[in-house]
Amino acid sequence: MKQPNSQPTAELMLRETASQTAGPYVHIGLALDVAGLPERDEEIWNRMARPEADGEHIEVVGTVIDGNGDLVRDALLEAWQADARGEYRPEFDLEQPFNGFGRTATTAEGASEWRLETIKPGTVTRGDGRVMAPHINLAIFARGVNIHLQTRLYFEDEAEANAACPVLNAVESPARRQTLIARREEADGRVRYRFDIRLQGEGETVFFDF
Amino acid sequence: MQNDNKRFVERDRDWHPPAYAPGYKTSVARSPSQSLVSLQTPSASELTGPDFRQLRMGRYDNDLLMNFREDPALAGSAGLPAGERIIMFGRVVDQYGKPVPHTLVEMWQANAGGRYRHKKDGYLAPLDPNFGGVGRCLTDEQGWYRFRTIKPGPYPWPNDVNSWRPAHIHVSVMGPAISTRLITQMYFEGDPLIPLCPIVQTLRDPEAVETMIGRLDMARSRPMDCLAYRFDLVVRGELQTYFENQ
């Protein structure tokens, strides 16, 4: 790998600002409705696809569970995904039918499920030509999480693509790979995938460094 | 193969706080026990991210003195939040010092008494009817952002028998890709609570703590109005690699 020689050496590089936990009140800043605050003209939230968006419309739901088996009720999640054709579209615009970015949160009440309304992404090809199975990238922020956790959600009904996915296969333990597979359910005539995230312990979700 | 020719400088996880930091008790059950799986070949999934230039910002989205007033039309000082008026500003740059323009900077905070507008916050300090505690803006061409707000108060929290959070503002920055996404906190120069805080202490390197301290900037303070604090944010730098497929 060559690098342009105009890049300064490591010693001259600035350090990335250090991370701090988003704390228990992250909803005030990034999920105003959940915090009970008045919403602004445009908010980034969990409806990523409008009815006219191309692709298979799906709902994705789940919980976040800690090492004691308790629900994490104050998490914020961010999703980033390709469109139905497997292309990332950076422009976020609430006027367009589909946005590849969304936010959702677990809440203090009830089952504390997060939820995304989106479309099933297509396959994405890496720079080396290898094809990755359809997936949604998720980041988890919460009190007690000192730097956000990054994971990927894959789809149960994409068994063939999953088996060939270079990223899933980078997880050495086949049992751990299963933590990245969302289960398909039908609910009220809609396709829904369930993806529970376990931060620690038995069934701990695979988190990535990139 | 969108943007697969990009690379970001590797994240130094010894510089960031570790997931498991027992002095900060909530981290004990919320930290993964398995190591992170390294993605040796980042793809468009990691190297792209949302661009919020089309997201409509409200006139007062970055002005917390105005954006939660009972009646924004109120003249003079009636209906303004209580507390020390401040300007919080800075530049978002990458690790090479290059400005990061048009990126979303979001923030949230307690009021001057140290109370959050959140149903789970039961601290005895009163809510301020004119203060919500949330702001956002996009950086300009040169990477600058700016908020007008009040200085938040310190507050106690149940981590230990007598734990107090120093005054702080939570800051969220997106940067050019999800690889550069970061949430941090700005603390205030000179606050004696900073070294005592178990959350600050999750950082092992004193220099990392220094990067999170907003500095008083008298040149940008407004006489008879606001003090200014400068807080620059550094997101991961982008390396261009031109021959990765060969």
Side-chain angles (χ1 to χ4, degrees):
Chain A
M1 267 196 328
K2 290 188 190 176
Q3 293 170 11
N5 55 18
S6 62
Q7 303 281 10
T9 57
E11 304 84 73
L12 294 177
M13 269 178 24
L14 299 170
R15 298 273 217 161
E16 186 186 10
T17 301
S19 176
Q20 291 276 265
T21 174
Y25 305 124
V26 61
H27 299 167
I28 292 173
L30 308 182
L32 280 66
D33 181 44
V34 174
L37 282 158
E39 292 196 65
R40 296 163 293 200
D41 284 353
E42 293 191 346
E43 294 290 353
I44 306 161
W45 197 232
N46 66 349
R47 196 182 185 203
M48 297 162 70
R50 299 210 300 222
E52 64 270 30
D54 290 337
E56 185 189 0
H57 288 249
I58 62 170
E59 193 178 51
V60 184
V61 300
T63 53
V64 182
I65 299 158
D66 72 12
N68 299 325
D70 295 326
L71 288 169
V72 173
R73 294 182 175 275
D74 49 16
L76 179 96
L77 282 83
E78 289 183 347
W80 175 238
Q81 67 164 90
D83 65 13
R85 292 181 305 177
E87 285 175 16
Y88 284 94
R89 295 196 215 161
E91 312 75 42
F92 185 94
D93 185 347
L94 291 168
E95 301 293 311
Q96 67 193 6
F98 172 71
N99 279 296
F101 186 79
R103 283 178 177 159
T104 180
T106 62
T107 55
E109 296 86 28
S112 195
E113 285 183 345
W114 54 270
R115 182 176 305 273
L116 296 165
E117 284 176 46
T118 186
I119 50 153
K120 198 169 181 189
T123 56
V124 177
T125 306
R126 287 200 312 192
D128 62 3
R130 298 179 69 185
V131 177
M132 298 183 289
H135 61 276
I136 299 175
N137 307 283
L138 293 173
I140 300 122
F141 301 84
R143 175 172 67 106
V145 175
N146 289 324
I147 180 164
H148 59 286
L149 297 166
Q150 303 167 134
T151 190
R152 282 184 172 201
L153 177 158
Y154 285 86
F155 300 88
E156 181 180 36
D157 50 351
E158 296 284 346
E160 200 178 322
N162 290 344
C165 178
V167 172
L168 266 179
N169 286 317
V171 179
E172 284 190 24
S173 150
R176 297 210 72 216
R177 275 176 223 157
Q178 290 303 311
T179 69
L180 301 178
I181 313 286
R183 308 291 159 202
R184 186 180 161 117
E185 303 172 350
E186 304 269 340
D188 311 321
R190 302 182 65 180
V191 178
R192 181 201 276 171
Y193 292 89
R194 175 165 297 278
F195 189 69
D196 294 322
I197 296 164
R198 289 181 173 75
L199 299 182
Q200 185 188 86
E202 196 180 339
E204 181 177 307
T205 303
V206 169
F207 299 106
F208 292 99
D209 186 17
F210 54 77
Chain B
M1 292 194 224
Q2 312 143 61
N3 294 323
D4 273 15
N5 58 340
K6 259 200 229 174
R7 286 289 181 276
F8 289 101
V9 173
E10 189 184 347
R11 190 161 250 163
D12 179 354
R13 289 189 178 266
D14 292 327
W15 173 256
H16 290 288
Y20 175 75
Y24 172 26
K25 291 187 180 153
T26 318
S27 78
V28 170
R30 293 186 172 192
S31 44
S33 49
Q34 304 277 339
S35 45
L36 303 177
V37 173
S38 236
L39 284 188
Q40 301 293 341
T41 311
S43 66
S45 294
E46 294 77 36
L47 301 173
T48 57
D51 176 336
F52 291 109
R53 260 174 279 190
Q54 298 302 318
L55 185 70
R56 204 145 33 100
M57 300 286 142
R59 181 179 171 196
Y60 295 122
D61 278 4
N62 70 339
D63 187 351
L64 285 76
L65 298 187
M66 301 296 285
N67 71 19
F68 201 79
R69 296 180 78 173
E70 285 178 321
D71 180 358
L74 285 172
S77 63
L80 283 172
E84 190 179 329
R85 297 156 62 87
I86 62 167
I87 292 163
M88 170 192 182
F89 76 102
R91 212 171 184 202
V92 182
V93 299
D94 73 8
Q95 290 179 279
Y96 301 107
K98 197 176 83 176
V100 180
H102 317 299
T103 196
L104 185 63
V105 181
E106 296 164 280
M107 56 85 108
W108 65 99
Q109 64 170 95
N111 68 25
R115 171 89 180 262
Y116 283 94
R117 185 168 287 283
H118 195 288
K119 52 196 163 202
K120 297 294 279 183
D121 188 353
Y123 183 36
L124 49 79
L127 282 172
D128 181 336
N130 297 305
F131 190 71
V134 57
R136 65 178 178 182
C137 66
L138 294 171
T139 58
D140 71 9
E141 286 296 328
Q142 297 304 315
W144 292 100
Y145 74 89
R146 184 179 188 275
F147 294 101
R148 194 166 73 142
T149 185
I150 52 98
K151 188 175 176 183
Y155 57 85
W157 61 299
N159 186 65
D160 240 319
V161 287
N162 197 14
S163 288
W164 288 72
R165 297 289 347 263
H168 64 278
I169 295 177
H170 296 269
V171 186
S172 158
V173 63
M174 190 62 60
I178 63 160
S179 289
T180 56
R181 180 83 181 93
L182 193 74
I183 290 183
T184 188
Q185 300 179 26
M186 179 189 94
Y187 301 96
F188 290 83
E189 180 176 8
D191 187 338
L193 292 171
I194 294 171
L196 307 181
C197 173
I199 290 178
V200 174
Q201 288 170 2
T202 60
L203 290 152
R204 291 153 294 190
D205 189 330
E207 275 185 52
V209 177
E210 291 297 305
T211 67
M212 291 189 306
I213 296 177
R215 306 284 164 188
L216 181 66
D217 185 331
M218 290 307 289
R220 282 164 174 102
S221 295
R222 294 170 59 148
M224 307 304 288
D225 183 354
C226 290
L227 285 173
Y229 286 87
R230 178 166 182 170
F231 184 56
D232 291 333
L233 288 152
V234 180
V235 301
R236 292 168 71 185
E238 185 185 320
L239 292 162
Q240 292 286 350
T241 59
Y242 299 106
F243 305 102
E244 61 157 340
N245 292 328
Q246 291 168 25

